[in-house]
Coordinates of all heavy atoms in Angstrom, one line a residue:
V276 N 16.3 -7.0 17.9 CA 15.5 -6.4 16.9 C 15.9 -5.0 16.6 O 15.9 -4.5 15.5 CB 14.0 -6.4 17.4 CG1 13.1 -5.6 16.5 CG2 13.5 -7.9 17.4
A277 N 16.3 -4.2 17.7 CA 16.7 -2.8 17.5 C 18.0 -2.8 16.7 O 18.1 -1.9 15.9 CB 16.9 -2.2 18.9
R278 N 18.9 -3.7 16.9 CA 20.1 -3.7 16.1 C 19.8 -3.9 14.6 O 20.4 -3.3 13.8 CB 21.1 -4.8 16.6 CG 21.8 -4.4 17.9 CD 22.9 -5.4 18.2 NE 22.5 -6.8 18.4 CZ 22.1 -7.3 19.5 NH1 22.2 -6.6 20.6 NH2 21.8 -8.5 19.6
R279 N 18.9 -4.8 14.3 CA 18.5 -5.1 12.9 C 17.9 -3.9 12.3 O 18.0 -3.7 11.1 CB 17.6 -6.3 12.9 CG 17.3 -6.8 11.5 CD 16.5 -8.1 11.6 NE 17.4 -9.2 12.0 CZ 18.1 -9.9 11.2 NH1 18.1 -9.7 9.9 NH2 18.8 -10.9 11.6
L280 N 17.2 -3.0 13.1 CA 16.5 -1.9 12.6 C 17.3 -0.6 12.7 O 16.8 0.5 12.5 CB 15.2 -1.7 13.3 CG 14.1 -2.8 13.1 CD1 13.0 -2.7 14.0 CD2 13.7 -2.8 11.6
D281 N 18.6 -0.7 13.1 CA 19.4 0.5 13.3 C 19.4 1.4 12.1 O 19.8 0.9 11.0 CB 20.8 0.1 13.7 CG 21.7 1.2 14.1 OD1 21.1 2.2 14.7 OD2 22.9 1.2 13.8
G282 N 19.1 2.6 12.3 CA 19.1 3.6 11.1 C 17.9 3.6 10.3 O 17.7 4.4 9.4
V283 N 16.9 2.6 10.6 CA 15.7 2.5 9.8 C 14.5 2.9 10.7 O 13.6 3.6 10.2 CB 15.5 1.0 9.3 CG1 14.2 0.9 8.6 CG2 16.7 0.6 8.4
V284 N 14.5 2.5 11.9 CA 13.4 2.8 12.8 C 14.0 3.4 14.1 O 15.0 2.9 14.6 CB 12.5 1.6 13.2 CG1 11.4 2.0 14.1 CG2 11.9 1.0 11.9
K285 N 13.5 4.5 14.6 CA 14.0 5.1 15.8 C 13.8 4.2 17.0 O 12.8 3.6 17.1 CB 13.4 6.5 16.0 CG 13.7 7.5 15.0 CD 12.9 8.8 15.3 CE 13.2 9.9 14.2 NZ 12.5 11.1 14.4
P286 N 14.8 4.1 17.9 CA 14.7 3.2 19.1 C 13.4 3.4 19.9 O 12.8 2.5 20.3 CB 15.9 3.6 19.9 CG 16.9 4.1 18.9 CD 16.1 4.8 17.9
D287 N 13.0 4.7 20.1 CA 11.8 4.9 20.9 C 10.6 4.4 20.2 O 9.6 3.9 20.8 CB 11.6 6.4 21.2 CG 11.5 7.3 20.0 OD1 12.1 6.9 18.9 OD2 10.8 8.3 20.0
Q288 N 10.5 4.4 18.9 CA 9.4 3.9 18.1 C 9.4 2.4 18.2 O 8.3 1.8 18.3 CB 9.5 4.3 16.6 CG 9.2 5.8 16.4 CD 9.3 6.1 14.9 OE1 10.2 5.6 14.2 NE2 8.4 7.0 14.4
I289 N 10.6 1.7 18.2 CA 10.6 0.3 18.3 C 9.9 -0.2 19.6 O 9.1 -1.0 19.6 CB 12.1 -0.2 18.3 CG1 12.7 0.1 16.9 CG2 12.2 -1.7 18.6 CD1 14.2 -0.2 16.8
H290 N 10.4 0.4 20.7 CA 9.8 -0.1 22.0 C 8.3 0.3 22.1 O 7.6 -0.4 22.8 CB 10.6 0.5 23.1 CG 12.0 0.0 23.2 ND1 12.3 -1.3 23.8 CD2 13.2 0.4 22.8 CE1 13.6 -1.5 23.7 NE2 14.2 -0.5 23.1
R291 N 7.9 1.4 21.5 CA 6.5 1.8 21.6 C 5.6 0.9 20.7 O 4.5 0.6 21.1 CB 6.4 3.3 21.1 CG 5.0 3.9 21.4 CD 5.1 5.4 21.2 NE 5.4 5.8 19.9 CZ 6.6 6.5 19.6 NH1 7.4 6.7 20.5 NH2 6.9 6.8 18.3
Q292 N 6.1 0.4 19.6 CA 5.3 -0.3 18.7 C 5.5 -1.8 18.8 O 4.7 -2.6 18.2 CB 5.6 0.1 17.2 CG 5.3 1.5 16.9 CD 5.8 1.9 15.5 OE1 6.2 1.1 14.7 NE2 5.7 3.2 15.2
L293 N 6.5 -2.3 19.5 CA 6.9 -3.7 19.5 C 5.8 -4.6 20.0 O 5.4 -5.5 19.2 CB 8.1 -3.9 20.4 CG 8.9 -5.2 20.3 CD1 9.4 -5.4 18.9 CD2 10.0 -5.2 21.3
M294 N 5.2 -4.3 21.1 CA 4.1 -5.2 21.6 C 2.9 -5.1 20.8 O 2.2 -6.2 20.5 CB 3.8 -4.8 23.1 CG 5.0 -4.8 24.0 SD 5.9 -6.4 23.9 CE 7.3 -6.1 25.0
R295 N 2.5 -4.0 20.3 CA 1.3 -3.8 19.4 C 1.5 -4.7 18.2 O 0.5 -5.4 17.8 CB 1.1 -2.4 19.1 CG -0.2 -2.2 18.2 CD -0.4 -0.7 17.9 NE 0.7 -0.1 17.2 CZ 1.0 -0.2 15.9 NH1 0.1 -1.0 15.2 NH2 2.0 0.3 15.3
V296 N 2.6 -4.6 17.5 CA 2.8 -5.3 16.3 C 2.8 -6.8 16.6 O 2.2 -7.6 15.8 CB 4.1 -4.9 15.6 CG1 4.5 -5.9 14.4 CG2 4.0 -3.5 15.1
C297 N 3.5 -7.2 17.7 CA 3.5 -8.7 18.0 C 2.1 -9.2 18.3 O 1.7 -10.2 17.8 CB 4.3 -8.9 19.3 SG 6.1 -8.8 18.9
L298 N 1.3 -8.4 19.1 CA 0.0 -8.9 19.5 C -1.0 -8.9 18.3 O -1.8 -9.8 18.2 CB -0.5 -8.0 20.6 CG -1.9 -8.3 21.2 CD1 -1.8 -9.7 21.9 CD2 -2.3 -7.3 22.2
A299 N -0.9 -7.9 17.5 CA -1.9 -7.8 16.4 C -1.6 -8.6 15.2 O -2.5 -9.1 14.5 CB -2.0 -6.3 16.0
S300 N -0.4 -8.8 14.9 CA 0.0 -9.4 13.6 C 0.7 -10.7 13.6 O 0.6 -11.5 12.6 CB 0.8 -8.4 12.8 OG 0.2 -7.1 12.7
L301 N 1.5 -11.0 14.6 CA 2.5 -12.0 14.4 C 2.3 -13.4 15.1 O 3.0 -14.3 14.8 CB 3.9 -11.5 14.9 CG 4.4 -10.2 14.1 CD1 5.8 -9.9 14.6 CD2 4.3 -10.4 12.6
P302 N 1.3 -13.5 16.0 CA 1.2 -14.8 16.7 C 1.2 -16.0 15.8 O 2.0 -17.0 15.9 CB -0.1 -14.7 17.5 CG -0.1 -13.3 17.9 CD 0.4 -12.6 16.6
E303 N 0.3 -16.0 14.8 CA 0.3 -17.2 13.8 C 1.5 -17.2 12.9 O 1.9 -18.3 12.6 CB -1.0 -17.1 13.0 CG -2.3 -17.4 13.8 CD -3.5 -17.5 12.9 OE1 -3.3 -17.8 11.7 OE2 -4.6 -17.3 13.4
A304 N 2.0 -16.1 12.6 CA 3.2 -16.0 11.7 C 4.4 -16.7 12.3 O 5.2 -17.3 11.6 CB 3.5 -14.6 11.3
L305 N 4.5 -16.7 13.6 CA 5.6 -17.4 14.2 C 5.7 -18.9 14.0 O 6.7 -19.5 14.2 CB 5.6 -17.1 15.7 CG 5.8 -15.6 16.1 CD1 5.7 -15.4 17.6 CD2 7.2 -15.1 15.6
F306 N 4.5 -19.5 13.7 CA 4.4 -20.9 13.4 C 4.6 -21.2 11.9 O 4.6 -22.4 11.6 CB 3.1 -21.4 13.9 CG 2.8 -21.4 15.3 CD1 2.3 -20.2 15.9 CD2 3.2 -22.4 16.2 CE1 2.1 -20.2 17.3 CE2 3.0 -22.4 17.5 CZ 2.4 -21.2 18.1
A307 N 4.8 -20.2 11.1 CA 4.8 -20.4 9.6 C 6.2 -20.9 9.2 O 7.2 -20.6 9.8 CB 4.4 -19.2 8.9
R308 N 6.3 -21.5 8.0 CA 7.5 -21.8 7.4 C 8.0 -20.6 6.6 O 9.2 -20.3 6.5 CB 7.4 -23.0 6.4 CG 7.1 -24.3 7.1 CD 6.9 -25.4 6.0 NE 8.2 -25.8 5.5 CZ 8.4 -26.4 4.3 NH1 7.3 -26.8 3.6 NH2 9.6 -26.7 3.9
V309 N 7.1 -19.8 6.0 CA 7.4 -18.6 5.4 C 6.2 -17.6 5.6 O 5.1 -18.0 5.6 CB 7.6 -18.7 3.8 CG1 7.8 -17.4 3.2 CG2 8.7 -19.7 3.5
A310 N 6.5 -16.4 5.9 CA 5.5 -15.3 6.1 C 5.6 -14.3 5.0 O 6.7 -13.8 4.7 CB 5.7 -14.7 7.5
I311 N 4.4 -14.0 4.4 CA 4.3 -13.0 3.4 C 3.8 -11.7 4.1 O 2.6 -11.8 4.6 CB 3.4 -13.3 2.2 CG1 3.8 -14.7 1.6 CG2 3.3 -12.2 1.2 CD1 2.8 -15.2 0.5
L312 N 4.5 -10.7 4.2 CA 4.1 -9.5 4.9 C 3.5 -8.5 3.9 O 4.1 -8.1 3.0 CB 5.3 -8.9 5.6 CG 6.1 -9.7 6.6 CD1 7.2 -8.9 7.2 CD2 5.2 -10.3 7.6
V313 N 2.3 -8.1 4.2 CA 1.6 -7.2 3.3 C 1.0 -6.0 4.2 O 0.9 -6.1 5.4 CB 0.4 -7.9 2.6 CG1 0.9 -9.0 1.7 CG2 -0.6 -8.4 3.6
E314 N 0.6 -4.9 3.5 CA 0.2 -3.8 4.3 C -1.1 -3.9 5.0 O -1.3 -3.5 6.1 CB 0.1 -2.6 3.3 CG 1.5 -2.2 2.7 CD 1.4 -0.9 1.8 OE1 0.7 0.0 2.3 OE2 1.8 -1.0 0.7
G315 N -2.1 -4.5 4.2 CA -3.5 -4.6 4.8 C -4.2 -5.8 4.4 O -3.7 -6.7 3.8
S316 N -5.5 -5.8 4.8 CA -6.3 -7.1 4.7 C -6.7 -7.4 3.2 O -6.9 -8.5 2.9 CB -7.6 -7.0 5.5 OG -8.3 -5.9 5.1
T317 N -6.8 -6.3 2.4 CA -7.1 -6.6 1.0 C -6.0 -7.3 0.2 O -6.2 -8.3 -0.5 CB -7.5 -5.3 0.2 OG1 -6.4 -4.3 0.4 CG2 -8.8 -4.7 0.8
E318 N -4.7 -6.9 0.5 CA -3.6 -7.6 -0.1 C -3.5 -9.0 0.5 O -3.2 -10.0 -0.3 CB -2.3 -6.9 0.2 CG -2.1 -5.5 -0.5 CD -2.6 -4.4 0.4 OE1 -3.4 -4.6 1.3 OE2 -2.4 -3.2 0.0
Q319 N -3.8 -9.2 1.7 CA -3.9 -10.5 2.3 C -4.9 -11.4 1.7 O -4.6 -12.5 1.3 CB -4.2 -10.4 3.8 CG -4.2 -11.7 4.6 CD -4.6 -11.6 6.0 OE1 -5.3 -10.6 6.4 NE2 -4.3 -12.5 6.9
G320 N -6.1 -10.9 1.5 CA -7.2 -11.7 0.8 C -6.8 -12.0 -0.6 O -7.0 -13.2 -1.0
L321 N -6.3 -11.1 -1.3 CA -5.9 -11.4 -2.7 C -4.9 -12.5 -2.9 O -5.0 -13.4 -3.6 CB -5.4 -10.1 -3.4 CG -5.1 -10.2 -4.9 CD1 -6.3 -10.2 -5.7 CD2 -4.1 -9.2 -5.4
L322 N -3.8 -12.4 -2.1 CA -2.7 -13.4 -2.2 C -3.2 -14.7 -1.7 O -2.8 -15.8 -2.2 CB -1.5 -12.9 -1.4 CG -0.7 -11.8 -2.1 CD1 0.3 -11.2 -1.1 CD2 -0.1 -12.3 -3.4
E323 N -4.0 -14.8 -0.6 CA -4.5 -16.0 -0.2 C -5.4 -16.7 -1.3 O -5.3 -17.9 -1.5 CB -5.4 -15.9 1.1 CG -4.5 -15.7 2.3 CD -5.4 -15.7 3.6 OE1 -6.6 -16.0 3.5 OE2 -4.8 -15.4 4.7

C-alpha cells in the first residue's frame, strides 16, 4: 500500500491512518465487485 501511495501520502501518515480507515470504511467494501469511494454519508446516500 505504501508503494502505491509513494509521493502522495507520507509513510508515517499511512501507518497512522491504515487501521482506522480499514476498520471504519472498508470491511463491506472488500466483498464488493466495485466500490464507489465518496467523501461522506450524503454523497453515499445520494448515489445509493
Side-chain angles (χ1 to χ4, degrees):
V276 171
R278 284 194 297 270
R279 188 173 286 275
L280 294 170
D281 185 33
V283 178
V284 181
K285 295 179 180 179
D287 61 329
Q288 289 181 321
I289 294 174
H290 292 280
R291 189 167 60 247
Q292 299 175 7
L293 195 57
M294 301 310 174
R295 180 179 59 79
V296 171
C297 286
L298 184 63
S300 305
L301 301 186
E303 290 188 23
L305 294 176
F306 293 89
R308 296 180 69 199
V309 177
I311 306 176
L312 303 183
V313 298
E314 296 181 49
S316 61
T317 51
E318 291 90 348
Q319 181 186 22
L321 181 78
L322 285 170
E323 285 187 6

